[in-house]
Amino acid sequence: MSATPQERLEVSISINGRRYKAPVEARKTLADFIREDAHLTGTKLGCEHGVCGSCTVLIDDAPARSCLTLAAQADGHRVRTVESLTEGQELNGLQRAFREQHGLQCGFCTAGFLMTATALLEENPTPTRDDIVETVSGSLCRCTGYQTIIAAIEQAAAEGAADTQKHDEQEGDVL
Amino acid sequence: MKTVEKHQHMDTPEIAARSVGARVLRSEDPRLLSGRGQFIADIELPGQLHVAFVRSPVAHARITHIDLSAVRDAEGVHLAWSGADAAQFCEGLVGEFAVEGCNPTTMPLLATDEVLYVGEPIAVVVAETRYAAEDACELLDWDFEELPAVVNADAAAAGVGVANPQLPDNFGLRGGASFGDVAGAFEQAHQIVEGRFYTCRVSAAPMETRGVIADYEWASKSLRVWSNTQMPHFLRYMLTAYLGFPEQNVEVITPDTGGGFGQKAHVYPEEMLLPLLAREVDRPVKWIEDRRENLMAGAHAHEQYVDIAYALDATGKITAVRTHALGDGGAYHAPPWSMAVEPWCAVVMTPTGLYDAPAAEYTYAAVATNKTPVGAYRGVGYMAGTFARECLADEAARATGMSPFEFRRHNVVPEFPWTNPQGIVYDEGSWRESIDVLESMVDYPAFLQRQAELRAQGRYIGLGLSFFVESSGESTAGSQEHGLGDVYHDTATVRLSPNGTAHVTIGLSAQGQGLATTMAQMAADTLGVRVEDVIVETARSTSHAYGSGTIGSRGAVIAGGAVSRAAGVVREKIRAVAANLLEAAVDDVDLVDGNASVKGAPDTSISIAEVATAIYFDMSSWPEDFDPVLEATQAYDTARAMFSNGAHAMVVELDPETGFVRFEKVFSVEDCGTVINPNIVEGQIRGGVVQGIGASVFEELAYDESGQLLTTTFLDYGIPTMDVSPPFEIHHIETPSKHSASGVKGMGESGLIAAPAAVLNAVNDALTPFGVVLRELPLSPEKIRAAMSGATESAAPQVVAP
């Protein structure tokens, strides 16, 4: 299958348990689909070339750069964004740990860190400091100097805060 | 030195510290952590169109032909402009600086005849989507004739080529001054220590790039501009001054902002163009900078050479300091600061530091080059000046046979107040104490022993120190002390609701510093209410309180002072009514912990909520002639310049194989007076120091000989990552200011100001066995490897006999 960049393709993507169906240009990135079509703006774009990690989301539970993924590539897959993390109207354990450890300042990169750390804690609920640093070093932060982010993920792990409950998909078309 | 006349808006009320000093969790965080922050890219206006720019791919060229017809015909395009179109409305932004020897430049909104740097905007396109706008940019038909590019500051200063025809000799700035008998001190010196230090060109690189949205409503002539600027009120002023939009109809809105660090404290051509475009197409227009544009066209920073020399007497005391700074300013002065901000600030603000030097002389110059304009970045000018001074202090310590702690203790200012040779008065500080504290934190004897043991095993660790004095709370008095005439004052509005909770607006926009939390702490303590009962809106809109900009570590001091003064007015209203209700004298009523109580009779009290309710709904509670307004707006400016101080020590290890610098640990001492919130102060230290590590080792905006910028992605321009960032040990000293509310001082910049000197000093300490001293940033693996293999030409301290 090949399409010109402007050609429209029908995609169907589950985001945070809701199914979004829309015709999109073949060149449209998943990040732009999440932000513009699903109107979930918690996912941020810091570089749009796959380095900074701000746009990290989970595709089928694995962290991925949504700026380097086309919406069409996510067709039929499950995506989780930062908006999925809260437990009702409360911060989850990882988010709470970021707040208590002062693991964010401007908050622009934070969604990427939270999603990468979520995937880490789901896969390995008791990571060592080295595990954390190795996994999360792919994300850039310009405010904190990183130590408080490490401390936050350590705290979340110590409190067993991994949100291992993956959302069940709700049926029904949103778009 | 001229000092400012004291006005009533410089006095603040004395208050009991309850939440001030506590590690209050940030009120900003739940929104930001749950993806509910609203940053500029997240804002969508009905009917909005998208803007993209065509930027120069070459450093210096004459535009010989430009034709927009194919762009205008492209699908989805509503408007396309070249420089001539924009010039009809605005010839450009004048950049200059009010010091002797500054030659102004005018930066066009879009280049007209010549392009002067890679990334300079040439044309702008408005289209249905950003994708369509960028597609259309590709269709621009233009030709240019390349001109020789000036890419080196020394060459520019020598008059080789002309970077910008507005500056025929390339000098944007040139001046100097001398205080005391500098020539005599150098003639009589026992020894002279000197060096030329280079701070490379870097970018503040906030994680969120710049962005502007403009919406013009012709029927009421009202303009709304969303910008993630650090200076919303100044931007509004400029939109009127340059474009003629009536100021009363202009609102600048600053949404959540993803870091600024000074880069967003300018007024850029894009911010002037978007309102014009919105008016022209009669639709809202939106531009979000991409990272490549940010690295090319967001203000660059730091690049300068600083020549510094100490005259030392036979005991190793500094008898005079000479400094000369040459800044590589880029193609234009970046409004409103100019290319003076680096070299002028470096020599005027920093040469004495904490050392008791009786005489000082400085010269400064900035030259235009065909590179991106240099502007502000966290501690602008202070970084390069502190870098040169503190690295030379380490060299002087070696030259005099003292330890780096001992040399500094030998030269530190002995008592306060102290007036430096320029006439700048320092009222208080813990300059001497910070040396002792840092020495004990690093356990210097144990370090020396470990260093010797590791050297025997072929491992090379080093310890580097850097001490700073940071001008904090950018104010009218601070400006005048440094020979400028800028006037700064901010306002805040505090309103108490019937249920005793407070609503506060300040005039400063926030970029992640937690101002909404720290200002709530200041207001809560003044009003005597709980911190969670105060909500603070930072300058989300210029319709609220007035602010001179979130710059120069002024948030805590200036906004804090205004909040405290406004809350103080409301406080007196509460006390008056409480006194009436409690049948006590007003002077005997204290407001603490949510209650108004009578001093000495704590059981005689009433809650502040009850008092507020009474003021709104029960006239019988009022004293005679009571004006029931529970809202106050007050201004604040400091009566005197004020200075924070502190130091960083860094332990590094050099890898002879790879040339990598590994950062083992950072020790920081910070004295910013009264600490409002230790979490936030420590966050500023860590973040600033890691930016300093970046500027020393990992980051450089590199140009080739033709003026081509080689580092336009985060792959080429590497900011520090988690795996290279060190752990910290932080020690607070609190020497309160006598002038600010609660004794607070500003501290947002000291991390970046002082860290690079600690890095270079640590690297040079580690390199001691190789007989090499480095003086130029960045400390790239190539330079470290060369130094460790003996391939670097030694730049050992130049010790000159008189």
Side-chain angles (χ1 to χ4, degrees):
Chain A
M1 186 185 85
S2 72
T4 64
Q6 283 98 330
E7 190 175 326
R8 287 186 177 267
L9 304 171
E10 188 74 28
V11 299
S12 169
I13 304 170
S14 158
I15 305 175
N16 304 337
R18 303 179 86 178
R19 180 159 296 279
Y20 294 82
K21 281 186 179 176
V24 298
E25 286 189 3
R27 63 179 171 177
K28 185 156 206 163
T29 65
L30 177 60
D32 284 350
F33 182 82
I34 292 168
R35 292 174 49 80
E36 295 169 8
D37 297 83
H39 301 287
L40 295 167
T41 56
T43 300
K44 303 300 180 198
L45 288 163
C47 72
E48 295 175 278
H49 45 249
V51 181
C52 80
S54 294
C55 68
T56 302
V57 298
L58 305 187
I59 302 179
D60 299 336
D61 305 327
R65 303 290 206 239
S66 63
C67 75
L68 292 186
T69 307
L70 295 173
Q73 291 175 291
D75 183 35
H77 291 271
R78 276 186 310 116
V79 173
R80 276 187 285 160
T81 71
V82 67
E83 285 90 347
S84 72
L85 296 181
T86 43
E87 293 164 352
Q89 296 189 358
E90 298 289 332
L91 300 182
N92 76 4
L94 180 65
Q95 292 168 312
R96 225 171 30 245
F98 265 70
R99 185 177 189 211
E100 288 168 8
Q101 296 291 340
H102 193 24
L104 70 157
Q105 289 183 29
C106 77
F108 194 83
C109 68
T110 307
F113 278 97
L114 290 171
M115 297 319 290
T116 306
T118 296
L120 169 68
L121 295 175
E122 283 176 358
E123 192 171 307
N124 174 9
T126 55
T128 63
R129 187 183 169 92
D130 286 348
D131 292 336
I132 294 169
V133 171
E134 185 173 333
T135 306
V136 185
S137 281
S139 287
L140 299 178
C141 168
R142 196 56 157 167
C143 296
T144 63
Y146 299 107
Q147 298 304 306
T148 52
I149 295 177
I150 301 171
I153 300 170
E154 285 181 321
Q155 178 185 324
E159 293 173 357
D163 178 15
T164 48
Q165 281 214 314
K166 291 162 194 169
H167 293 266
D168 293 329
E169 189 160 312
Q170 298 164 3
E171 282 306 320
D173 296 344
V174 172
L175 290 182
Chain B
M1 187 67 52
K2 197 177 161 193
T3 52
V4 71
E5 203 180 310
K6 193 153 186 238
H7 296 278
Q8 62 172 11
H9 71 294
M10 296 169 182
D11 280 327
T12 57
E14 280 186 31
I15 54 176
R18 307 301 276 198
S19 71
V20 165
R23 293 181 183 271
V24 174
L25 297 185
R26 303 198 324 164
S27 58
E28 294 90 337
D29 289 352
R31 287 172 48 250
L32 296 172
L33 282 162
S34 59
R36 281 160 180 80
Q38 197 180 42
F39 294 80
I40 193 156
D42 306 337
I43 295 169
E44 281 191 49
L45 299 184
Q48 74 185 9
L49 299 173
H50 295 265
V51 173
F53 289 90
V54 181
R55 295 180 183 276
S56 175
V58 292
H60 195 187
R62 183 174 298 114
I63 299 173
T64 54
H65 163 77
I66 189 158
D67 180 358
L68 290 160
S69 48
V71 177
R72 288 172 175 149
D73 290 344
E75 195 182 330
V77 169
H78 286 247
L79 186 73
W81 275 1
S82 66
D85 300 309
Q88 294 175 47
F89 301 98
C90 174
E91 284 185 5
L93 296 168
V94 176
E96 61 185 325
F97 200 60
V99 297
E100 193 194 336
C102 183
N103 305 309
T105 59
T106 300
M107 179 195 293
L109 303 189
L110 296 168
T112 49
D113 304 328
E114 282 189 21
V115 287
L116 300 186
Y117 65 95
V118 169
E120 182 169 8
I122 299 163
V124 62
V125 179
V126 184
E128 286 290 331
T129 66
R130 178 63 176 256
Y131 289 79
E134 290 191 23
D135 282 348
C137 286
E138 298 287 318
L139 302 174
L140 181 69
D141 175 16
W142 72 298
D143 292 318
F144 55 85
E145 181 188 312
E146 275 203 72
L147 298 168
V150 180
V151 293
N152 174 282
D154 283 326
V160 180
V162 177
N164 178 339
Q166 299 173 41
L167 300 171
D169 65 356
N170 293 323
F171 280 92
L173 178 82
R174 199 161 22 176
S178 188
F179 307 90
D181 184 13
V182 175
F186 274 88
E187 269 166 34
Q188 289 157 29
H190 178 72
Q191 57 181 339
I192 293 167
V193 191
E194 60 191 334
R196 187 180 215 218
F197 295 87
Y198 175 67
T199 51
C200 62
R201 183 171 276 253
V202 299
S203 170
M207 291 312 300
E208 182 204 35
T209 57
R210 296 179 292 142
V212 188
I213 301 172
D215 185 17
Y216 182 72
E217 206 279 288
W218 63 267
S220 58
K221 293 188 170 56
S222 71
L223 173 69
R224 287 189 301 165
V225 176
W226 287 255
S227 171
N228 49 17
T229 178
Q230 294 171 235
M231 302 192 300
H233 291 271
F234 186 72
L235 174 58
R236 185 169 82 136
Y237 173 81
M238 294 285 273
L239 289 168
T240 297
Y242 275 95
L243 307 180
F245 289 102
E247 197 167 2
Q248 75 277 18
N249 289 342
V250 178
E251 182 183 9
V252 174
I253 299 162
T254 42
D256 285 321
T257 295
F261 313 116
Q263 191 186 68
K264 292 172 181 165
H266 297 89
V267 172
Y268 288 99
E270 293 92 345
E271 288 171 307
M272 295 285 124
L273 278 166
L274 269 277
L276 295 173
L277 297 170
R279 186 171 66 187
E280 200 71 11
V281 298
D282 199 15
R283 296 264 293 269
V285 293
K286 176 176 182 177
W287 168 69
I288 303 299
E289 183 178 53
D290 68 25
R291 182 56 60 186
R292 182 169 158 271
E293 289 182 291
N294 181 260
L295 288 166
M296 288 195 306
H300 286 184
H302 283 178
E303 186 173 12
Q304 66 175 309
Y305 294 91
V306 180
D307 290 279
I308 183 167
Y310 287 150
L312 301 174
D313 71 12
T315 74
K317 269 218 157 50
I318 301 167
T319 54
V321 55
R322 259 187 191 140
T323 322
H324 170 67
L326 172 64
D328 180 329
Y332 300 96
H333 290 295
W337 307 114
S338 83
M339 57 181 79
V341 287
E342 277 296 339
W344 181 87
C345 284
V347 299
V348 173
M349 305 283 189
T350 68
T352 49
L354 58 167
Y355 309 122
D356 188 13
E361 183 175 282
Y362 59 72
T363 55
Y364 53 82
V367 285
T369 55
N370 293 111
K371 302 182 193 172
T372 303
V374 161
Y377 177 26
R378 201 174 198 172
V380 60
Y382 271 83
M383 189 295 248
T386 302
F387 177 71
R389 185 192 72 228
E390 289 299 302
C391 291
L392 192 70
D394 263 31
E395 295 193 15
R398 285 192 286 273
T400 55
M402 289 187 236
S403 90
F405 294 101
E406 204 180 325
F407 177 80
R408 288 173 169 90
R409 217 164 8 236
H410 189 56
N411 278 287
V412 73
V413 165
E415 61 185 7
F416 293 98
W418 180 65
T419 305
N420 87 349
Q422 293 151 268
I424 297 171
V425 181
Y426 299 83
D427 287 323
E428 73 282 303
S430 52
W431 299 3
R432 158 89 196 220
E433 186 187 353
S434 66
I435 301 171
D436 299 341
V437 167
L438 193 67
E439 186 169 18
S440 103
M441 282 171 82
V442 302
D443 193 354
Y444 192 49
F447 172 81
L448 290 175
Q449 193 186 338
R450 186 161 72 95
Q451 185 180 44
E453 285 165 9
L454 288 173
R455 265 184 202 162
Q457 300 165 24
R459 288 178 59 187
Y460 300 95
I461 63 168
L463 173 70
L465 313 182
S466 175
F467 288 76
F468 63 86
V469 178
E470 177 190 3
S471 170
S472 74
E474 193 69 33
S475 61
T476 307
S479 172
Q480 291 197 2
E481 286 247 316
H482 293 100
L484 298 175
D486 298 337
V487 173
Y488 294 92
H489 49 79
D490 285 38
T491 69
T493 300
V494 173
R495 184 171 65 228
L496 203 70
S497 301
N499 55 14
T501 60
H503 182 269
V504 177
T505 59
I506 61 170
L508 295 181
S509 58
Q511 295 78 39
Q513 306 92 330
L515 277 173
T517 302
T518 48
M519 292 305 102
Q521 291 177 259
M522 296 291 276
D525 285 8
T526 312
L527 293 168
V529 301
R530 298 181 312 162
V531 67
E532 51 271 38
D533 288 336
V534 181
I535 182 144
V536 176
E537 282 189 66
T538 55
R540 300 199 142 253
S541 162
T542 47
S543 309
H544 300 148
Y546 174 79
S548 306
T550 312
I551 55 165
S553 295
R554 62 196 301 278
V557 175
I558 306 293
V563 166
S564 189
R565 293 193 76 246
V569 172
V570 175
R571 174 189 174 85
E572 291 314 308
K573 290 290 182 65
I574 303 166
R575 289 176 78 204
V577 174
N580 201 36
L581 291 169
L582 297 169
E583 296 178 349
V586 173
D587 286 348
D588 290 340
V589 174
D590 209 5
L591 305 184
V592 180
D593 298 336
N595 290 311
S597 52
V598 177
K599 287 173 196 164
D603 292 343
T604 311
S605 76
I606 183 169
S607 77
I608 289 170
E610 285 175 276
V611 179
T613 306
I615 291 171
Y616 278 94
F617 304 125
D618 176 9
M619 285 179 78
S620 72
S621 70
W622 300 359
E624 249 177 79
D625 284 338
F626 185 71
D627 179 344
V629 63
L630 271 185
E631 175 172 327
T633 298
Q634 294 279 297
Y636 183 67
D637 190 4
T638 65
R640 299 175 56 82
M642 61 181 67
F643 300 88
S644 299
N645 70 275
H648 307 291
M650 220 167 273
V651 179
V652 304
E653 179 169 5
L654 307 182
D655 185 331
E657 296 268 314
T658 62
F660 285 162
V661 181
R662 184 178 68 82
F663 292 87
E664 186 180 298
K665 187 156 184 189
V666 178
F667 301 87
S668 299
V669 180
E670 174 74 50
D671 185 348
C672 56
T674 303
V675 173
I676 302 173
N677 187 327
N679 281 355
I680 285 174
V681 167
E682 290 161 13
Q684 291 287 322
I685 293 170
R686 289 189 211 96
V689 166
V690 170
Q691 286 181 335
I693 286 173
S696 307
V697 173
F698 300 107
E699 300 175 32
E700 181 178 29
L701 288 164
Y703 282 86
D704 72 10
E705 285 171 6
S706 72
Q708 189 57 243
L709 179 60
L710 305 173
T711 46
T712 58
T713 72
F714 271 158
L715 282 172
D716 315 302
Y717 187 78
I719 70 173
T721 46
M722 184 182 280
D723 53 337
V724 299
S725 297
F728 282 71
E729 187 177 323
I730 297 171
H731 181 92
H732 298 280
I733 302 175
E734 295 190 61
T735 310
S737 162
K738 292 177 201 72
H739 304 287
S740 64
S742 299
V744 303
K745 300 177 187 173
M747 56 73 55
E749 301 167 287
S750 58
L752 178 52
I753 284 171
V759 174
L760 181 61
N761 282 338
V763 166
N764 280 333
D765 185 42
L767 286 174
T768 309
F770 301 91
V772 177
V773 175
L774 301 177
R775 292 192 180 123
E776 299 199 352
L777 301 181
L779 299 163
S780 59
E782 299 92 308
K783 277 186 205 158
I784 302 290
R785 263 180 62 93
M788 298 183 87
S789 64
T792 305
E793 202 176 310
S794 171
Q798 296 164 39
V799 182
V800 182

